[in-house]
């Protein structure tokens, strides 16, 4: 079947840089979905996006979809003709409804017998006939955060649409789309090639636009920006730091990127590096430059959208703009240094943390009580931790953080060091926010770790206590992220601390009357339910987490160790049979009240299989107890794997529900003994 390349381009006023990438990928998806709904197949496809356009290129799109057969079933064959061989009213009426003569009917075999029917071949959709509708629908379905209307029409989009280009091979002219007449014309760079460009064939789109000073492919443009920025930095004998989000944004602001290196007054380097970087990146979209030893240099890389005949003028303009930005940053920093960090604490009383939980000052008071308790649990310095807890939120009301919110903690650490605080206090003030996101570094010191745990546990307990548990996609206090951070801190820092104890300590610091009673179980369930998120990239089945959770383990560090052990146990040949046996044991014990205090009486054994299982359990119990105490769960489960044969023999040869009460209780107690050995590590029955 013949095919062609399809090009769809929507030309707009400058699209919002913050959402250009999502608009490009979303438009691509919506167009493909529309073609699929019409049964139109194709090969490779790609998307392009620049400040003035969204485009989709689909290669080897069929000119017509495959034909199909429409089958209509009528009355049973026996009711088709009368005794004289004439068509019955049922058959004639059926044919009439289809607009055919009865003689065109055929016999169709069905599961319920032969019936009269008619098969009609339906021609596949012609691609050219539906292109307009597909593009219109794609524009409507595209998730646009804020739509706007322009002119006298009712069309709404992220920005006013100036032109639409639809080219199927070399064919164009598919009617009006989004209030504009579709054509084979596009437009190049606003300044370098402002006139209309006639496209003769869809497949030449990117090349033709490149000749008109537009790099249409978003990813290609990003790569070019990075390459140019690195080259400019090399000329300075330096390196450039390219933040991924900033690179996306810069690529969304230009169509013909030209990287240029500028400089600023070296006196600004006395301001904290992070503040200067924030000023450059946030306000001016500049890339910072560093020397080979990692120190910030008084240079920056900017990306222009024009190829100027006099680049020095463009550089001078950018240097002129950055100067007041850096001056403001320096002023905020100098003003903050004039007063001790601790003096800002009263201002926190005016900053609400949560209506029912009080101000940020109230939160720091709670942290000053909770963090030292956690410090004592993990062998950290309680005095240093308490001091850091008192100061950790003070910089939120500093001028520098009010201007650059991303400097919270970082600014506080600078101010704490300036005030002569212990270096560990300054470190904890900064790092108690760590990890900042999934996969990012954890706090380095135990004091920072204690404060990081306290901060998140205080929030978790408080928000749960007032009943604002996350539901669906609503999580305004980022409790899911806080829960995962607590798990990471305890597991990766190898802190064997009972989560119940931590939650109780956090609850004790909240004001009396807050509904913290009974929260432990609910919060523990919530937090351990987040455990699979830590292993997203690993192929660990949910049944493994259920198995460990079923053991009643309340230490995240132990929980993680048991998850690893159960995963290794699953690989053993005996695992499946033992899991099934444990499932059977659980089912039997669930129907019988077995007192754990009742011991197994070996004198009551009647079958050799009973004694064999008992002896095996007796032999491995002391060793397993030592292994479990040492967190050597894999070793313990490996020993338990040797129980396969005695367990199989027991169920083959022993009637558990004996008619003799004493025998029945003894056998149930033996099964309970078996179950307890596994449950000390995980509920293996969950693996069945």
């Amino acid at each position: 079947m013949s095919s062609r390349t399809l090009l769809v381009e929507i030309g707009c006023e400058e699209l919002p840089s913050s959402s250009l990438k999502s608009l490009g990928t979303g438009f691509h998806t919506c167009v493909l979905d529309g073609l699929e709904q019409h049964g139109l197949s194709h090969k490779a496809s790609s998307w392009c996006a620049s400040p003035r356009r969204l485009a989709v290129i689909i290669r080897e799109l069929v000119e017509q979809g495959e034909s199909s057969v429409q089958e209509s079933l009528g009355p049973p064959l026996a009711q088709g003709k009368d005794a004289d061989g004439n068509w019955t009213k049922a058959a004639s009426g059926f044919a009439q409804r289809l607009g055919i003569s009865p003689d065109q009917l055929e016999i169709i075999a069905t599961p319920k017998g032969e019936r009269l029917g008619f098969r009609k071949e339906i021609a596949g959709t012609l691609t050219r006939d539906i292109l307009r509708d597909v593009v219109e629908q794609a524009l409507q379905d595209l998730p646009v955060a804020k739509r706007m209307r322009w002119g006298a029409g009712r069309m709404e989009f992220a920005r006013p649409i100036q032109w639409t280009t639809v080219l199927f091979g070399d064919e164009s002219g598919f009617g009006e789309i989004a209030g504009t007449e579709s054509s084979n014309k596009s437009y190049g760079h606003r300044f370098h090639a402002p006139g209309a460009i006639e496209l003769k064939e869809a497949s030449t789109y990117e090349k033709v636009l490149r000749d008109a000073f537009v790099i249409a492919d978003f990813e290609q443009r990003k790569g070019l920006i990075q390459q140019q920025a690195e080259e400019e930095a090399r000329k300075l004998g330096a390196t450039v730091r390219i933040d991924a989000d900033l690179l996306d944004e810069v690529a969304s602001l230009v169509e013909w990127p030209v990287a240029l290196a500028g400089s600023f007054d070296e006196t600004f380097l006395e301001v904290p590096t992070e503040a200067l970087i924030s000023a450059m990146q946030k306000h001016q979209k500049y890339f910072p430059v560093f020397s080979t030893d990692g120190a910030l240099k008084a240079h920056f890389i900017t990306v222009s959208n024009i190829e100027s005949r006099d680049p020095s003028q463009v550089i001078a303009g950018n240097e002129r703009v950055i100067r007041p930005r850096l001056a403001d940053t320096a002023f905020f920093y100098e003003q903050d240094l004039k007063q001790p960090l601790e003096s800002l604490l009263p201002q926190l009383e005016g900053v609400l943390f949560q209506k029912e939980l009080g101000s940020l000052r109230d939160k720091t008071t709670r942290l000053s009580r909770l963090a030292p308790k956690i410090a004592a649990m993990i062998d950290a310095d309680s005095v240093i931790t308490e001091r850091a807890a008192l100061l950790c939120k003070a910089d939120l009301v500093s001028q520098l953080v009010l201007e650059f919110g991303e400097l919270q903690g970082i600014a506080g650490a600078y101010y704490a060091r300036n005030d002569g605080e212990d270096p560990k206090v300054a470190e904890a003030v900064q790092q108690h926010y760590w990890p900042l996101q999934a996969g990012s570094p954890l706090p380095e010191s135990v004091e920072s770790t204690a404060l990081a745990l306290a901060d998140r546990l205080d929030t978790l307990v408080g928000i749960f206590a007032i009943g604002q548990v996350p539901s669906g996609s609503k999580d305004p206090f980022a409790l899911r992220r806080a829960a995962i951070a607590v798990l990471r801190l305890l597991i990766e820092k190898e802190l064997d601390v009972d989560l119940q104890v931590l939650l109780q300590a956090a609850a004790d610091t909240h004001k009396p009357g807050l509904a913290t009673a009974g929260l432990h179980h609910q919060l523990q369930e919530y937090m351990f339910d987040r455990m699979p998120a830590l292993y997203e990239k690993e192929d660990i089945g949910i049944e493994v987490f259920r198995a460990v959770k079923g053991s009643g383990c309340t230490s995240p560090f132990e929980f993680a160790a048991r998850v690893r052990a159960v995963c290794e146990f699953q690989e053993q040949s005996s695992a499946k049979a033992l899991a099934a046996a444990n499932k059977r044991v659980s089912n039997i014990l669930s129907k019988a009240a077995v007192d754990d205090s009742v011991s197994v009486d070996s004198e009551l054994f009647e079958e050799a299989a009973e004694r064999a299982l008992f002896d095996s359990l007796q032999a491995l119990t002391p060793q397993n107890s030592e292994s479990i105490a040492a967190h050597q769960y894999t070793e313990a489960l490996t020993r338990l794997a040797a129980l396969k044969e005695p367990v199989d023999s027991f169920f083959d040869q022993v009637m558990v529900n004996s008619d003799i009460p004493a025998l029945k209780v003894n056998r149930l107690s033996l099964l309970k003994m078996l179950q307890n050995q596994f449950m000390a590590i995980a509920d293996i029955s969950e693996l069945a």
Side-chain angles (χ1 to χ4, degrees):
M1 185 175 291
S2 56
S3 60
R4 312 182 205 169
T5 297
L6 171 68
L7 164 68
V8 178
E9 182 191 57
I10 306 299
C12 309
E13 292 296 329
E14 271 70 7
L15 290 159
S17 60
S18 59
S19 56
L20 181 65
K21 185 175 182 179
S22 62
L23 287 172
T25 57
F27 186 53
H28 177 234
T29 299
C30 290
V31 171
L32 291 184
D33 287 347
L35 295 173
E36 184 179 348
Q37 288 170 14
H38 289 281
L40 298 169
S41 62
H42 58 86
K43 292 291 179 66
S45 65
S46 59
W47 60 276
C48 296
S50 76
R52 298 180 66 206
R53 71 201 74 232
L54 301 175
V56 175
I57 303 168
I58 302 172
R59 294 164 182 83
E60 296 185 57
L61 175 63
V62 295
E63 295 182 2
Q64 184 173 12
E66 293 185 3
S67 60
S68 59
V69 176
Q70 184 183 64
E71 186 177 84
S72 301
L73 294 176
L77 179 61
Q79 299 176 17
K81 291 186 178 182
D82 58 22
D84 297 329
N86 298 316
W87 293 107
T88 62
K89 287 185 178 180
S92 298
F94 173 65
Q96 187 176 5
R97 287 196 300 275
L98 295 177
I100 61 174
S101 70
D103 293 334
Q104 291 177 271
L105 296 174
E106 55 187 298
I107 300 171
I108 298 176
T110 73
K112 295 183 179 180
E114 294 182 323
R115 299 179 64 175
L116 291 175
F118 182 69
R119 290 188 178 95
K120 179 183 179 181
E121 184 173 348
I122 306 297
T125 303
L126 288 171
T127 302
R128 64 167 64 87
D129 291 345
I130 52 84
L131 283 179
R132 177 187 174 280
D133 293 338
V134 165
V135 176
E136 285 271 12
Q137 191 62 49
L139 290 171
Q140 291 179 29
D141 294 342
L142 189 59
V144 177
K146 292 183 179 180
R147 291 178 177 266
M148 62 181 296
R149 189 181 296 174
W150 62 94
R154 300 189 61 81
M155 179 65 193
E156 293 182 346
F157 196 56
R159 291 291 184 270
I161 294 175
Q162 300 294 309
W163 75 87
T164 54
T165 307
V166 181
L167 203 55
F168 188 35
D170 60 359
E171 182 181 358
S172 61
F174 295 95
E176 185 179 290
I177 298 175
T180 64
E181 193 66 29
S182 66
S183 70
N184 65 338
K185 289 183 173 61
S186 182
Y187 291 83
H189 192 279
R190 186 182 290 278
F191 303 111
H192 289 308
I197 302 167
E198 186 174 338
L199 297 167
K200 298 188 181 301
E201 221 286 332
S203 60
T204 64
Y205 172 71
E206 291 181 70
K207 182 182 182 304
V208 171
L209 280 193
R210 178 180 277 273
D211 292 340
F213 294 88
V214 174
I215 308 296
D217 186 286
F218 185 84
E219 295 299 328
Q220 188 180 32
R221 203 162 59 250
K222 275 176 56 179
L224 185 59
I225 291 169
Q226 180 160 348
Q227 179 184 335
Q228 290 182 0
E230 290 172 350
E231 179 59 31
E232 288 298 313
R234 272 194 293 273
K235 293 177 184 177
L236 297 170
T239 61
V240 61
R241 182 180 298 175
I242 298 180
D243 177 78
D245 290 337
L246 179 60
L247 180 58
D248 277 348
E249 188 169 5
V250 172
S252 300
L253 290 168
V254 299
E255 291 193 317
W256 188 255
V258 178
L260 301 167
S263 62
F264 54 85
D265 195 324
E266 290 193 1
T267 59
F268 287 125
L269 293 177
E270 297 174 9
V271 178
T273 296
E274 296 88 348
L276 297 177
I277 292 173
S278 289
M280 284 189 274
Q281 293 186 157
K282 181 179 178 181
H283 292 302
Q284 301 307 129
K285 316 306 176 190
Y286 294 167
F287 297 111
V289 175
F290 294 81
S291 61
T292 52
D293 62 359
L296 182 70
K297 289 177 70 68
H299 292 277
F300 60 85
I301 306 295
T302 184
V303 179
S304 173
N305 190 34
I306 60 172
E307 196 165 305
S308 175
R309 287 191 294 270
D310 186 1
S312 62
Q313 293 295 321
V314 179
I315 294 170
N318 281 275
E319 291 175 341
R320 205 162 40 243
V321 171
I322 193 62
R323 193 174 298 115
R325 293 292 189 189
L326 297 182
D328 286 347
T329 304
F331 174 77
F332 296 143
Y333 177 62
E334 290 163 4
Q335 290 300 110
D336 288 338
L337 289 179
K338 291 180 179 179
Q339 53 189 335
L341 185 61
E342 189 172 4
S343 69
L344 298 178
L345 290 176
Q347 295 182 44
L348 293 178
E349 294 175 3
V351 182
L352 185 67
F353 171 61
Q354 200 283 331
K355 184 178 180 182
E356 296 176 65
L357 301 177
S359 66
L360 280 178
R361 185 69 181 94
D362 295 322
K363 184 174 177 67
T364 57
T365 300
R366 293 194 300 270
L367 293 181
S368 298
R369 294 167 55 196
L370 174 59
K373 292 181 182 178
I374 297 176
M377 298 179 199
I378 64 174
D379 297 326
D381 188 311
S382 297
V383 175
I384 286 177
T385 306
E386 182 177 2
R387 181 63 178 170
L390 180 70
L391 300 175
C392 68
K393 304 297 181 185
D395 69 342
L396 293 178
V397 291
S398 68
Q399 293 193 45
L400 195 59
V401 175
L402 288 173
E403 178 67 18
F404 303 106
E406 64 273 19
L407 296 183
Q408 60 180 10
I410 296 171
Y414 275 100
Y415 300 150
R417 283 191 285 268
N418 182 72
D419 295 342
E421 299 284 352
D422 189 295
K424 288 187 177 180
V425 170
E427 181 184 73
V429 167
Q430 176 175 350
Q431 295 184 10
H432 84 282
Y433 289 107
W434 296 11
L436 298 174
Q437 57 190 8
S440 60
L442 299 179
E444 295 168 359
S445 69
V446 281
E447 290 77 21
S448 301
T449 300
L451 184 52
L453 286 167
D455 190 20
R456 291 164 173 88
L457 289 167
D458 172 79
T459 300
L460 282 161
V461 169
I463 301 301
F464 264 71
I466 61 175
Q468 293 193 21
V469 181
S471 59
S473 60
K474 294 182 179 179
D475 187 11
F477 287 89
L479 298 189
R480 294 185 183 90
R481 189 189 308 166
I484 290 173
V486 169
L487 294 174
R488 278 194 66 198
L489 288 164
L490 294 173
I491 294 168
E492 296 179 35
K493 288 289 184 178
E494 299 184 359
L495 303 173
D496 189 9
V497 184
D498 193 322
L499 187 57
Q500 291 273 0
V501 174
L502 290 172
L503 292 171
Q504 181 61 59
D508 291 343
T509 61
H510 280 273
K511 62 184 180 183
L514 198 66
T516 56
L519 275 181
H520 305 86
H521 180 70
Q522 183 187 9
L523 254 174
Q524 181 181 301
E525 286 281 309
Y526 176 81
M527 294 180 72
F528 278 132
D529 282 345
R530 312 272 83 74
M531 186 68 80
L534 299 180
Y535 301 90
E536 281 182 336
K537 296 181 180 179
E538 301 181 46
D539 188 20
I540 299 179
I542 192 66
E543 72 279 358
V544 173
F545 297 99
R546 286 202 300 262
V548 177
K549 192 175 177 182
S551 71
C553 176
T554 55
S555 164
F557 173 68
E558 276 196 35
F559 195 109
R562 295 182 188 206
V563 165
R564 295 295 182 195
V566 173
C567 285
E568 292 185 32
F569 172 74
Q570 270 189 315
E571 300 300 317
Q572 300 192 30
S573 57
S574 58
K576 188 174 182 180
L578 281 169
N582 271 270
K583 188 75 171 179
R584 187 173 179 181
V585 170
S586 296
N587 291 336
I588 292 171
L589 294 178
S590 67
K591 299 172 184 175
V594 182
D595 191 343
D596 272 339
S597 64
V598 177
S599 59
V600 179
D601 186 354
S602 60
E603 296 298 323
L604 294 177
F605 292 154
E606 289 189 343
E607 305 289 345
E610 291 178 273
R611 181 165 296 281
L613 179 57
F614 179 72
D615 290 345
S616 298
L617 287 170
Q618 288 281 78
L620 62 78
T621 296
Q623 292 175 298
N624 265 18
S625 296
E626 291 180 9
S627 295
I628 291 170
H631 307 310
Q632 295 170 345
Y633 303 112
T634 301
E635 185 178 305
L637 281 173
T638 300
R639 288 195 195 95
L640 290 172
L643 293 174
K644 180 183 181 301
E645 287 187 17
V647 169
D648 288 346
S649 297
F650 179 87
F651 282 119
D652 287 341
Q653 301 172 28
V654 179
M655 175 66 72
V656 177
N657 292 318
S658 172
D659 293 334
I660 303 172
L663 290 182
K664 178 180 178 180
V665 170
N666 201 52
R667 288 167 180 173
L668 288 171
S669 297
L670 181 57
L671 291 181
K672 186 66 176 175
M673 183 179 177
L674 170 66
Q675 185 187 55
N676 287 343
Q677 283 294 319
F678 281 97
M679 288 293 285
I681 304 170
D683 183 2
I684 300 300
S685 67
E686 289 286 353
L687 304 180

